Amino acid sequence: MLYRKMPKNGDELSILGFGAMRLPVKEDGTIDEERATNQIRDAIDNGVNYVDTAWPYHMGQSEPFLRRALSDGYREKVKLATKLPTWMVDSREDMDKFLNAQLEKLNTDHIDYYLIHSLAGELWEKVESLGVIDFLEKAKADGRIINAGFSFHGAPDEFKPIVDAYEWDFCQIQYNFLDEKLQAGTEGLEYAASKDLGVIIMEPLRGGLLAGEVPTSIEDIWNEGSTKRTAAEWALRWVWNHPEVTVVLSGMNEEAHVEENLRIADEANSDSLTENELKLIERVENKYRELMKAGCTGCSYCMPCPVGVDIPACFEMYNNLYLFDNDDMTKLMYAARLGGITGAEPGFASLCVQCNKCIEKCPQHLEIPTLLESVVEDFEGPGLEQRIEMAKMFLANKDA
């Protein structure tokens, strides 16, 4: 296992972290505890020392599960990360309530790496006004939190102000070779590193969409590489190639995933990909964009929309629907991200009034209103309300 150092505290963290959001489940949807425990302990026995969870994962059962999985001395072998569910916070007192409940759920007296979950501009302004900085300072002072960070899911221009708003120890961003300009992107990665923040990467495989089955035309490009690698290995190595990255989280739920990821994490040094390999990955990226229904780069120049449409998110979901064979999950994610469930206002494509202001701003010259009509057709027909309710059940599990 390779390790990288957290800039501010010197912690030597495994470059591979275990994400506890997509654990193996039984037919009834509950966590398969025997398999998941074996997977996590196997990863730790082979050098993984960073485990990440959050309040809503597995309908609130991820944290209690980890309490059991990390017993028998395993808690002492890892740095444990979990997150404040910001969309459920209505007061300064709520912050302590959630943290104390998480300490009890996880059977620990401290969280090594505590994140303010899923920040974007609006949500950051909300929790900042409620006193989140005071909360972090006091929780660090009394030892309940060792390192304070945040995870980010906002627009590119919202990232730097959050980084600059507090003396964070680390941050967590979505990053993969398709998302160099989405959310924080490469610019955000480099900015956070320049401020000596450790950077934890989520979605290096876009929730598994860059691994496993890939479009045939893309598989053909991968096969041209002089070194034969799986799609997952190419994608992971691309992220680890960036020296600014500290830890890459993988939501491993198959024994083969654990084995493969451990193998790659033994070898994936930064700046290790050759110029030809980087060009190959760039060709794959270009092919993905060719296959996509909307040629959106996620630059967000079209934002804010006057009526509240989250245009980049709509197009991200629209592309995913056609790139990958995962219709049910993609439609559920559309409902969750755009339904106003996490605190922001709803951003559905159907809100568009065709004012055409976005067309003037789009550097890709996309016919955005016309594309949004296609998004509505694919995502907002029968079943949308049921998917919204399912997403609410996933996120708003206060009593779990």
Side-chain angles (χ1 to χ4, degrees), residues 30-331:
T30 60
I31 297 170
D32 187 332
E33 294 219 4
E34 181 177 0
R35 283 188 67 201
T37 299
N38 288 338
Q39 290 172 6
I40 288 174
R41 292 187 175 186
D42 181 48
I44 295 170
D45 289 341
N46 284 278
V48 169
N49 68 0
Y50 190 93
V51 177
D52 171 270
T53 185
W55 181 277
Y57 293 175
H58 283 279
M59 299 293 290
Q61 291 308 305
S62 179
E63 289 172 324
F65 159 73
L66 282 178
R67 172 183 183 142
R68 299 182 287 274
L70 296 178
S71 62
D72 301 326
Y74 279 88
R75 170 66 182 94
E76 291 71 29
K77 297 180 181 181
V78 301
K79 301 298 184 182
L80 183 58
T82 194
K83 309 173 186 76
L84 178 74
T86 48
W87 57 91
M88 299 166 68
V89 170
D90 296 315
S91 67
R92 168 67 179 80
E93 292 72 27
D94 281 348
M95 300 175 195
D96 284 305
K97 180 187 75 173
F98 282 114
L99 173 57
N100 292 334
Q102 289 170 306
L103 292 170
E104 183 176 350
K105 282 181 172 187
L106 290 160
N107 191 30
T108 187
D109 63 0
H110 70 278
I111 306 299
D112 301 288
Y113 287 85
Y114 196 72
L115 300 99
I116 310 304
H117 199 173
S118 196
L119 288 186
E122 244 180 65
L123 201 50
W124 167 245
E125 291 170 5
K126 171 193 169 184
V127 295
E128 186 180 30
S129 70
L130 292 174
V132 73
I133 291 176
D134 176 70
F135 160 70
L136 291 172
E137 289 293 291
K138 289 182 176 175
K140 290 181 76 172
D142 64 30
R144 289 177 296 162
I145 294 173
I146 307 302
N147 300 285
F150 67 95
S151 65
F152 182 77
H153 281 294
D157 62 357
E158 296 173 337
F159 183 70
K160 291 181 182 180
I162 296 173
V163 170
D164 293 338
Y166 178 63
E167 286 295 318
W168 305 101
D169 299 296
F170 71 111
C171 64
Q172 184 167 308
I173 64 172
Q174 177 170 322
Y175 195 58
N176 54 70
F177 66 74
L178 284 183
D179 290 339
E180 292 186 79
K181 296 181 180 179
L182 184 72
Q183 298 181 18
T186 301
E187 184 177 349
L189 169 68
E190 293 175 349
Y191 187 75
S194 76
K195 298 290 185 176
D196 286 333
L197 272 66
V199 183
I200 312 297
I201 300 301
M202 55 184 160
E203 305 294 358
L205 305 177
R206 270 208 179 183
L209 299 178
L210 297 179
E213 287 190 35
V214 298
T216 302
S217 57
I218 288 172
E219 187 67 29
D220 290 342
I221 299 174
W222 287 138
N223 288 335
E224 292 180 29
S226 58
T227 301
K228 301 307 177 187
R229 295 173 175 141
T230 64
E233 181 168 357
W234 280 112
L236 288 171
R237 282 181 176 270
W238 183 89
V239 179
W240 276 318
N241 200 58
H242 294 77
E244 300 88 355
V245 169
T246 310
V247 175
V248 173
L249 295 174
S250 179
M252 300 171 275
N253 52 30
E254 298 285 346
E255 289 72 19
H257 297 166
V258 179
E259 182 179 354
E260 179 182 26
N261 288 1
L262 287 169
R263 176 185 59 78
I264 303 167
D266 282 339
E267 307 165 358
N269 286 295
S270 62
D271 296 319
S272 61
L273 292 177
T274 68
E275 183 177 349
N276 285 338
E277 288 172 331
L278 290 171
K279 288 180 178 178
L280 187 77
I281 295 170
E282 185 177 358
R283 287 177 56 204
V284 169
E285 177 190 357
N286 290 337
K287 176 56 70 172
Y288 269 115
R289 302 213 180 279
E290 178 185 321
L291 295 173
M292 290 175 177
K293 289 287 184 176
C296 176
T297 64
C299 70
S300 294
Y301 287 136
C302 57
M303 299 293 284
C305 168
V307 294
V309 179
D310 189 337
I311 298 167
C314 285
F315 289 158
E316 180 188 351
M317 294 291 101
Y318 183 42
N319 284 326
N320 286 349
L321 188 68
Y322 285 89
L323 279 169
F324 308 106
D325 186 19
N326 201 356
D327 289 11
D328 290 341
M329 179 56 70
T330 305
K331 290 181 178 181

Side-chain angles (χ1 to χ4, degrees), residues 332-343:
L332 180 62
M333 287 300 297
Y334 179 85
R337 287 184 58 182
L338 297 161
I341 296 168
T342 61

